Amino acid sequence: MTLSKRNILSLSLTDKRLARLLGGCALLAALVVVLILGFLLGESWPVLHHAPLTHFFTDASWHPTQHLYNVMPMLTATLLSSLGALLLAGPLGIASGLFMHYYAPPRLAGVYRRLIELLAGIPSVVYGFWGLVTLAPLVGRLHPPGVSLLTAILVLALMVLPTVALIADAALAAIPAAYLRGAAALGLSRWGMIAGVALPAARTGLVSGLLLATGRALGETMAVLMVAGNAVQQPHSLFDSVRTLTANIALEMAYAMGDHRAALFVSGLALMLLVLILVGMADVFQRKATYA
């Protein structure tokens, strides 16, 4: 069946309009990010213009009403809780994707996938409530007080596990079937096919899933607020109570005024910069994978 010149011209115009629409959406998304950064910077400026950035890392403590702005304990808690959650959820999520594609029968894989999707839809406050009522007492039996960095890591790991698992599932599903048939024709074992073909082919998607899960962990507020203990201190063990940047903003924004309020926006700006760094890392990795 051949297309007439009129149909070809119509398709060309449709493609151009679609390209313009998509370009406009991309420009709008970029503009929103710039506006958010500008808003955070503008709200942070009242404290930034008279308190150098070094104060946020070298002051004796976090007491904004006394002009002490040390956010390092909360930044450390944020990074450690997110990293710990990723170290737990990353391997488990990727293993879940491999199980659904290469080991589970189709019916079981479908049921397992639905359960993972259900986990992804549970509100964060429910995770926090479960962690506070059930998990924190169990951790407290090992080492009091129970509400601690370890509890926050475990709850965050459970929360980001569905993200890693579902993106790993999508990345593995996108592998061309010809790759797997070629591996089978070479006589590779199941694990040989997974390690030598499937994982390298899905590498970009898997890393994107890990970075997305890290962003989710960095930005989580309610669940961490409920289970971490909210003590502003540098953690020296997994059983220490901590406070993350997001929890600090949620706890203090209701009554903060003046420089105190501006300092909380500096915390938000720090979180935004961390997420932008993650996005930049994902872009660099994708470029390297494309040209490799």
Side-chain angles (χ1 to χ4, degrees), residues 47-61 67-73 75 266:
V47 70
L48 288 177
H49 86 280
H50 67 76
L53 279 177
T54 54
H55 282 218
F56 292 89
F57 304 99
T58 59
D59 280 355
S61 61
H67 305 291
L68 298 174
Y69 305 111
N70 188 2
V71 299
M72 277 303 295
L75 181 61
V266 174

Side-chain angles (χ1 to χ4, degrees), residues 129-165:
F129 187 66
W130 171 80
L132 180 63
V133 173
T134 303
L135 191 58
L138 293 177
V139 175
R141 292 178 185 178
L142 295 176
H143 193 290
V147 284
S148 61
L149 176 60
L150 177 60
T151 312
I153 288 174
L154 294 175
V155 172
L156 279 177
L158 186 60
M159 293 180 67
V160 303
L161 174 62
T163 301
V164 181

Side-chain angles (χ1 to χ4, degrees), residues 39-51 53 56 62 64-65 67 69 71 248-249 252-253 255-270:
F39 170 75
L40 290 173
L41 188 59
E43 294 292 335
S44 304
W45 188 248
V47 70
L48 288 177
H49 86 280
H50 67 76
L53 279 177
F56 292 89
W62 169 261
T65 56
H67 305 291
Y69 305 111
V71 299
N248 188 58
I249 294 171
E252 299 188 5
M253 182 56 75
Y255 62 86
M257 299 177 63
D259 286 350
H260 184 185
R261 182 176 183 274
L264 294 178
F265 275 96
V266 174
S267 300
L269 186 62

Side-chain angles (χ1 to χ4, degrees), residues 229-246:
N230 299 314
V232 183
Q233 61 179 355
Q234 282 284 1
H236 298 291
S237 78
L238 289 173
F239 299 101
D240 287 343
S241 294
V242 295
R243 181 187 293 185
T244 63
L245 288 173
T246 53

Side-chain angles (χ1 to χ4, degrees), residues 5-285:
K5 291 183 178 179
R6 181 177 297 179
N7 289 336
I8 293 174
L9 180 60
S10 177
L11 288 174
S12 178
L13 291 175
T14 302
D15 288 343
K16 289 180 180 179
R17 290 171 184 166
L18 181 59
R20 289 175 183 173
L21 177 61
L22 293 177
C25 291
L27 182 62
L28 179 62
L31 181 61
V32 169
V33 173
V34 172
L35 288 175
I36 291 174
L37 280 173
F39 170 75
L40 290 173
L41 188 59
E43 294 292 335
S44 304
W45 188 248
V47 70
L48 288 177
H49 86 280
H50 67 76
L53 279 177
T54 54
H55 282 218
F56 292 89
F57 304 99
T58 59
D59 280 355
S61 61
W62 169 261
H63 286 101
T65 56
Q66 301 175 18
H67 305 291
L68 298 174
Y69 305 111
N70 188 2
V71 299
M72 277 303 295
M74 294 173 286
L75 181 61
T76 302
T78 300
L79 293 175
L80 288 178
S81 59
S82 301
L83 179 61
L86 189 66
L87 290 176
L88 290 177
L92 290 175
I94 294 174
S96 295
L98 294 174
F99 172 75
M100 287 185 282
H101 274 275
Y102 301 109
Y103 290 95
R107 187 181 297 274
L108 177 59
V111 173
Y112 187 76
R113 190 176 290 108
R114 298 292 87 78
L115 290 175
I116 294 293
E117 292 171 352
L118 178 63
L119 280 177
I122 296 176
S124 60
V125 68
V126 175
Y127 281 109
F129 187 66
W130 171 80
L132 180 63
V133 173
T134 303
L135 191 58
L138 293 177
V139 175
R141 292 178 185 178
L142 295 176
H143 193 290
V147 284
S148 61
L149 176 60
L150 177 60
T151 312
I153 288 174
L154 294 175
V155 172
L156 279 177
L158 186 60
M159 293 180 67
V160 303
L161 174 62
T163 301
V164 181
L166 292 175
I167 294 181
D169 178 47
L172 293 169
I175 298 174
Y179 290 9
L180 304 179
R181 287 197 297 267
L186 291 173
L188 294 179
S189 64
R190 181 182 300 179
W191 176 246
M193 179 179 66
I194 291 172
V197 178
L199 290 179
R203 179 178 55 183
T204 301
L206 295 177
V207 173
S208 298
L210 293 174
L211 292 176
L212 183 62
T214 305
R216 168 81 192 275
L218 287 172
E220 179 52 44
T221 304
M222 184 54 66
V224 177
L225 186 151
M226 296 173 73
V227 302
N230 299 314
V232 183
Q233 61 179 355
Q234 282 284 1
H236 298 291
S237 78
L238 289 173
F239 299 101
D240 287 343
S241 294
V242 295
R243 181 187 293 185
T244 63
L245 288 173
T246 53
N248 188 58
I249 294 171
L251 286 169
E252 299 188 5
M253 182 56 75
Y255 62 86
M257 299 177 63
D259 286 350
H260 184 185
R261 182 176 183 274
L264 294 178
F265 275 96
V266 174
S267 300
L269 186 62
L271 282 170
M272 188 72 178
L273 292 176
L274 284 175
V275 173
L276 289 177
I277 290 172
L278 280 176
V279 172
M281 291 172 57
D283 184 63
V284 169
F285 180 83

